[in-house]
Amino acid sequence: MFHEKNYSISLEEAQKQKCEFVCEYLGITKGSKVLDLGCGWGGFLKHLENIGANGTGVSLSTGQLAACRSNGLAASLTDMRYITPCHLGPFDAVPAI
């Protein structure tokens, strides 16, 4: 999975490997509930969807939020500094990639 100093792979493959590494490192598997802090355009959320994990993203960008939602990804316009278990519930993993 991890290709140390392999500059011949495509950006798409590098992104995929990054997502796989994060999931492996944090023990994210099918059914895991994951909060993606600063979810951006939803790349990691899409990966979570593909492996059967339940991803929720938060972002401060209305444009990125719109992109996530237009792709059917769960995301909200939320400042991560104010998230509590009462707000979104508990999670199995909380990456900030």
Side-chain angles (χ1 to χ4, degrees), residues 80-93:
M80 67 182 171
R81 295 176 296 172
Y82 305 111
I83 296 172
T84 67
C86 295
H87 182 234
L88 294 174
F91 290 90
D92 300 310

Side-chain angles (χ1 to χ4, degrees), residues 3 7 14-15 21 24 27 31 34 36 41 43 55 67 74-75 81-82 92 96:
H3 300 278
Y7 300 106
Q15 292 290 78
F21 172 79
E24 182 179 317
V34 182
D36 184 8
W41 303 101
R81 295 176 296 172
Y82 305 111
D92 300 310

Side-chain angles (χ1 to χ4, degrees), residues 19-34 44 48 51 53 92-95:
C19 291
E20 290 172 348
F21 172 79
V22 171
C23 286
E24 182 179 317
Y25 189 80
L26 296 178
I28 298 169
T29 58
K30 183 177 181 177
S32 294
K33 187 174 178 191
V34 182
F44 189 63
L48 293 172
I51 67 167
D92 300 310
V94 185

Side-chain angles (χ1 to χ4, degrees), residues 30-74:
K30 183 177 181 177
S32 294
K33 187 174 178 191
V34 182
L35 177 61
D36 184 8
L37 298 178
C39 63
W41 303 101
F44 189 63
L45 290 174
K46 188 65 176 170
H47 180 79
L48 293 172
E49 181 181 86
N50 291 340
I51 67 167
N54 303 307
T56 300
V58 295
S59 177
L60 292 175
S61 166
T62 55
Q64 291 175 342
L65 175 65
C68 287
R69 288 184 176 170
S70 72
N71 287 304
L73 303 170

Side-chain angles (χ1 to χ4, degrees), residues 1-5 17 20-21:
M1 172 182 50
F2 179 68
H3 300 278
E4 189 171 333
K5 296 184 181 181
Q17 289 180 16
E20 290 172 348
F21 172 79

